[in-house]
């Protein structure tokens, strides 16, 4: 018996070839599954799928959902111009066919319905005439002051430039498409002119972007991520990168940086010498700011879960087990959010009591499964990634402000990905920096519920005269509207 067991366990070239072939087959299955999902389905799993699973476990409160819909409808209604048209009953129908009575009485205010109409955007060619007076002696001529311009001799107002910036940075509409739209509504402006206005505005607003950099450096928890962005070059485009650094909380900040390299120089330039937490994936470019004297690196369970999601083609049972264990951590976070204790001491205590045992169970599962899968197989790679990041994945147990994942930074890069499909590249490095700066202001506006068109239209007209010592007043998360609106709001409060 011992001899037969030894014969089964002996090493030979065929056993090694079989193991290598099995690993290759798993890899091919994995690649085929990814290709099928890319062509016929979702290209990647996004965290809303976790939210969908959690939502399916707990019935929706219909009253709360109805209240949220009503609140959203009311908020939309305040932004729309209202117009009422009364439709009287035609004379032929104002007599009762049964008794012949012609004195019909009104039933309430009438039957109401709402129809949303589209009124094309309009631009105004505002003609300014400055009065000019002269003395008959010929020695004195005086001309009235005209409107203050954000750029000398510019015939386009800040509101126009704000529209161009928002269309490109918020809606990913290239300048040449904006040129076609403006031509249709009667504003003949060349794309070269709009491009020049775009970059002039970026340079003028750069002090606000640099102030956002300073505030992000002061933040205790920062999220980071990066994505490629092509830059035009003779012969062949170069590959640049757009980095994003974000914060969470009641006044979130979003900062974009364009660089020609994916090295750690950009994180070091933004966060070098600062303390706190940095929530990122496993990319080594962030090592420059997560050393002993830098920030503590916090891992992302979304990246871990995505690896097991991709491994379902070759190991469906094990992949589902791993995803369920991770889902348990998100279930605890959902309960904390429902209890309204996110980021509090109670939340941290809840994590230590419930999340820590769930994480330990996940760790035991990973260590038990590791020898059962080839290192280069999809499941083996997913397990190895999780174990290599194990310390960083446990930071959330020490700080209630650290989330489970880096989805806020990944979501911030969606505008860059959409823009990459519409305006394929930036013209040069300076253009990339300008685009990233305006991305920062527009994204921070949207994160704080501020209309970027109104914000940029106001701030561009005030930058020349606003004291630099009070620059924080013009940041998107502090902006209270034009001076007259802010004064009215202050008196009302």
């Amino acid at each position: 018996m011992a001899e037969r067991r030894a014969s089964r366990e002996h090493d030979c070239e065929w056993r090694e070839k079989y193991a290598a072939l099995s690993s290759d087959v798993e890899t091919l299955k994995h690649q085929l599954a990814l290709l099928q999902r890319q062509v016929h389905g979702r290209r990647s799993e996004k965290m809303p799928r976790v939210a969908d699973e959690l939502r399916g476990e707990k019935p929706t409160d219909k009253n709360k959902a109805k209240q949220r819909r009503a609140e959203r409808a009311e908020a939309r209604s305040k932004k729309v111009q209202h117009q009422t048209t009364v439709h009287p009953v035609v004379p032929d129908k104002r007599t009762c066919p049964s008794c012949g009575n012609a004195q019909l009485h009104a039933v309430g205010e009438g039957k109401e319905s709402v129809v949303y109409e589209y009124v094309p955007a309009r631009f105004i060619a505002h003609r300014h005439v400055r009065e000019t007076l002269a003395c008959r002696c010929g020695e004195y001529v005086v001309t009235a002051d005209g409107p203050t311009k954000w750029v000398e001799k510019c015939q386009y107002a800040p509101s126009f430039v704000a529209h161009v910036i928002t269309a490109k940075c918020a809606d990913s509409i290239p300048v040449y498409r904006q040129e076609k739209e403006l031509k249709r509504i009667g504003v003949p402006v060349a794309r070269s002119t709009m491009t020049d206005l775009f970059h002039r505005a970026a340079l003028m607003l750069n002090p606000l972007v640099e102030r956002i950099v300073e505030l992000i450096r002061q933040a205790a928890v920062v999220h980071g991520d990066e994505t490629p962005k092509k830059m035009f070059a003779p012969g062949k485009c170069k590959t640049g990168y757009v980095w994003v650094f974000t914060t969470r909380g009641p006044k979130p900040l979003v900062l974009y940086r364009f660089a020609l390299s994916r090295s750690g120089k950009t994180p070091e330039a933004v966060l070098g010498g600062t303390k706190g937490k940095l929530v990122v994936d496993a990319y080594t470019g962030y090592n420059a700011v997560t050393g002993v004297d830098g920030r503590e690196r916090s891992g992302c369970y979304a990246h871990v879960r995505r690896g097991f999601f991709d491994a379902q083609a070759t190991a469906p049972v094990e992949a589902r087990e791993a995803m369920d264990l991770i889902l348990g951590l998100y279930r605890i976070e959902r309960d904390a959010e429902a209890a309204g204790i996110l980021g509090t001491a109670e939340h941290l205590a809840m994590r230590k009591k419930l999340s820590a045992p769930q994480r330990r169970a996940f760790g035991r599962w990973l260590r038990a499964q590791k020898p059962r899968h080839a290192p280069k197989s999809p499941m083996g790679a997913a397990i190895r990634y999780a174990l290599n990041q194990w310390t960083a994945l446990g930071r959330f147990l020490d700080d209630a402000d650290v989330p489970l994942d880096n989805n806020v930074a990944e979501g911030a890069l969606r505008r860059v990905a959409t823009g990459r499909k519409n305006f394929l590249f930036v013209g040069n490095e300076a253009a990339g920096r300008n685009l990233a700066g305006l991305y920062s202001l527009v994204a921070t506006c949207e994160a704080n519920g501020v209309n970027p068109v109104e914000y940029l239209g106001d701030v561009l007209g005030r930058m020349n005269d606003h004291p630099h010592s009070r620059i924080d007043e013009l940041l998107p998360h502090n902006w209270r509207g034009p001076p007259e609106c802010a004064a009215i709001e202050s008196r009302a409060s």
Side-chain angles (χ1 to χ4, degrees), residues 14-207:
W14 294 107
R15 184 184 296 275
E16 295 176 359
K17 289 181 179 180
Y18 173 77
L21 183 61
S22 299
S23 178
D24 291 342
V25 170
E26 285 195 9
T27 301
L28 290 173
K29 286 183 179 179
H30 174 63
Q31 292 174 347
L32 178 61
L34 291 179
L35 181 60
Q36 287 176 332
R37 192 165 78 246
Q38 183 176 8
V39 174
H40 301 293
R42 297 169 66 99
R43 294 197 176 185
S44 64
E45 187 211 22
K46 299 180 176 62
M47 289 312 297
R49 292 180 63 116
V50 176
D52 291 342
E53 292 187 43
L54 294 176
R55 194 178 298 115
E57 297 176 355
K58 188 175 181 180
T60 304
D61 190 328
K62 294 184 178 180
N63 292 329
K64 289 185 178 180
K66 185 177 180 180
Q67 182 181 356
R68 286 195 296 267
R69 286 196 298 268
E71 291 173 353
R72 288 195 295 266
E74 183 180 359
R76 288 194 302 266
S77 178
K78 291 180 180 179
K79 298 181 179 180
V80 178
Q81 178 182 347
H82 292 266
Q83 178 178 330
T84 301
T85 301
V86 178
H87 300 271
V89 177
V90 296
D92 294 347
K93 295 184 178 181
R94 299 183 76 91
T95 301
C96 176
S98 299
C99 65
N101 178 25
Q103 302 298 321
L104 304 182
H105 66 279
V107 181
E109 296 182 356
K111 189 174 182 179
E112 181 180 324
S113 62
V114 177
V115 177
Y116 287 91
E117 300 178 358
Y118 171 70
V119 179
R122 63 193 181 97
F123 289 85
I124 300 174
H126 195 154
R127 180 170 173 263
H128 294 271
V129 179
R130 296 186 295 160
E131 183 182 16
T132 302
L133 302 176
C135 180
R136 295 187 181 278
C137 71
E139 298 294 330
Y140 180 69
V141 178
V142 59
T143 301
D145 294 333
T148 303
K149 296 185 177 181
W150 69 284
V151 173
E152 188 66 26
K153 297 182 179 180
C154 180
Q155 67 177 114
Y156 296 97
S159 58
F160 180 92
V161 183
H163 170 78
V164 173
I165 294 173
T166 303
K168 182 169 183 176
C169 294
D171 305 324
S172 300
I173 302 177
V175 171
Y176 79 90
R177 293 185 192 169
Q178 295 187 51
E179 180 187 35
K180 292 170 61 177
E181 179 190 6
L182 294 175
K183 186 177 180 180
R184 283 196 300 269
I185 61 178
V187 182
V189 54
R191 70 185 72 175
S192 58
T193 301
M194 286 190 287
T195 300
D196 180 63
L197 295 172
F198 183 91
H199 292 296
R200 284 194 179 199
L203 294 175
M204 178 175 285
L205 297 172
N206 190 60

Side-chain angles (χ1 to χ4, degrees), residues 151-356:
V151 173
E152 188 66 26
K153 297 182 179 180
C154 180
Q155 67 177 114
Y156 296 97
S159 58
F160 180 92
V161 183
H163 170 78
V164 173
I165 294 173
T166 303
K168 182 169 183 176
C169 294
D171 305 324
S172 300
I173 302 177
V175 171
Y176 79 90
R177 293 185 192 169
Q178 295 187 51
E179 180 187 35
K180 292 170 61 177
E181 179 190 6
L182 294 175
K183 186 177 180 180
R184 283 196 300 269
I185 61 178
V187 182
V189 54
R191 70 185 72 175
S192 58
T193 301
M194 286 190 287
T195 300
D196 180 63
L197 295 172
F198 183 91
H199 292 296
R200 284 194 179 199
L203 294 175
M204 178 175 285
L205 297 172
N206 190 60
L208 295 174
V209 179
E210 294 304 317
R211 180 57 181 155
I212 291 178
V213 175
E214 296 175 11
L215 295 177
I216 284 185
R217 288 177 56 83
Q218 299 170 15
V221 180
V222 178
H223 296 251
D225 206 352
E226 76 289 333
T227 191
K229 179 69 176 179
K230 293 292 185 181
M231 186 188 78
F232 178 78
K236 183 180 180 181
C237 285
K238 295 182 179 179
T239 299
Y241 291 88
V242 176
W243 300 72
V244 65
F245 302 92
T246 69
T247 64
R248 298 168 49 141
K251 292 185 176 182
L253 300 171
V254 187
L255 172 72
Y256 295 87
R257 274 293 196 251
F258 178 80
L260 296 180
S261 169
R262 201 188 173 205
S263 69
K265 292 182 180 179
T266 301
E268 189 172 12
V270 175
L271 296 175
T274 64
K275 299 289 186 179
K277 302 287 195 310
L278 178 60
V279 186
V280 290
D281 54 24
Y283 177 52
T284 57
Y286 297 100
N287 292 351
V289 293
T290 56
V292 176
D293 298 327
R295 290 178 172 262
E296 287 185 317
R297 191 183 197 123
S298 298
C300 174
Y301 278 92
H303 278 80
V304 175
R305 188 173 186 269
R306 197 168 297 135
F308 290 109
F309 178 85
D310 290 339
Q312 289 183 106
T314 57
V317 176
E318 295 87 345
R320 188 66 254 181
E321 289 176 356
M323 293 170 66
D324 287 341
L325 287 167
I326 297 172
L327 188 65
L329 295 173
Y330 279 94
R331 191 178 292 115
I332 297 169
E333 295 300 299
R334 178 203 61 187
D335 294 341
E337 182 179 7
I341 61 173
L342 286 180
T344 64
E346 292 83 357
H347 185 199
L348 187 59
M350 186 178 186
R351 282 180 169 180
K352 290 183 179 298
K353 179 181 179 181
L354 302 177
S355 302

Side-chain angles (χ1 to χ4, degrees), residues 290-437:
T290 56
V292 176
D293 298 327
R295 290 178 172 262
E296 287 185 317
R297 191 183 197 123
S298 298
C300 174
Y301 278 92
H303 278 80
V304 175
R305 188 173 186 269
R306 197 168 297 135
F308 290 109
F309 178 85
D310 290 339
Q312 289 183 106
T314 57
V317 176
E318 295 87 345
R320 188 66 254 181
E321 289 176 356
M323 293 170 66
D324 287 341
L325 287 167
I326 297 172
L327 188 65
L329 295 173
Y330 279 94
R331 191 178 292 115
I332 297 169
E333 295 300 299
R334 178 203 61 187
D335 294 341
E337 182 179 7
I341 61 173
L342 286 180
T344 64
E346 292 83 357
H347 185 199
L348 187 59
M350 186 178 186
R351 282 180 169 180
K352 290 183 179 298
K353 179 181 179 181
L354 302 177
S355 302
Q358 179 73 14
R359 181 174 180 272
R360 286 196 294 270
F362 182 40
R364 289 193 296 270
W365 184 92
L366 290 171
R367 289 186 289 275
Q369 290 291 328
K370 183 179 179 181
R372 302 177 185 176
H373 301 275
K376 294 184 178 181
S377 67
M379 178 58 69
I383 293 173
R384 187 172 65 254
Y385 179 91
L387 290 175
N388 289 343
Q389 292 292 302
W390 194 246
T391 301
L393 290 169
R395 302 288 187 202
F396 76 102
L397 294 174
D398 302 322
D399 190 341
D401 290 326
V402 175
L404 289 181
D405 53 53
N406 195 30
N407 285 349
V408 64
E410 291 190 0
L413 286 178
R414 289 176 186 168
R415 73 177 65 244
V416 182
T418 305
R420 189 165 53 215
K421 296 177 182 178
N422 288 279
F423 40 96
L424 304 179
F425 50 80
V426 294
N428 49 56
E429 187 176 0
R433 289 196 299 266
N434 291 342
L435 177 64

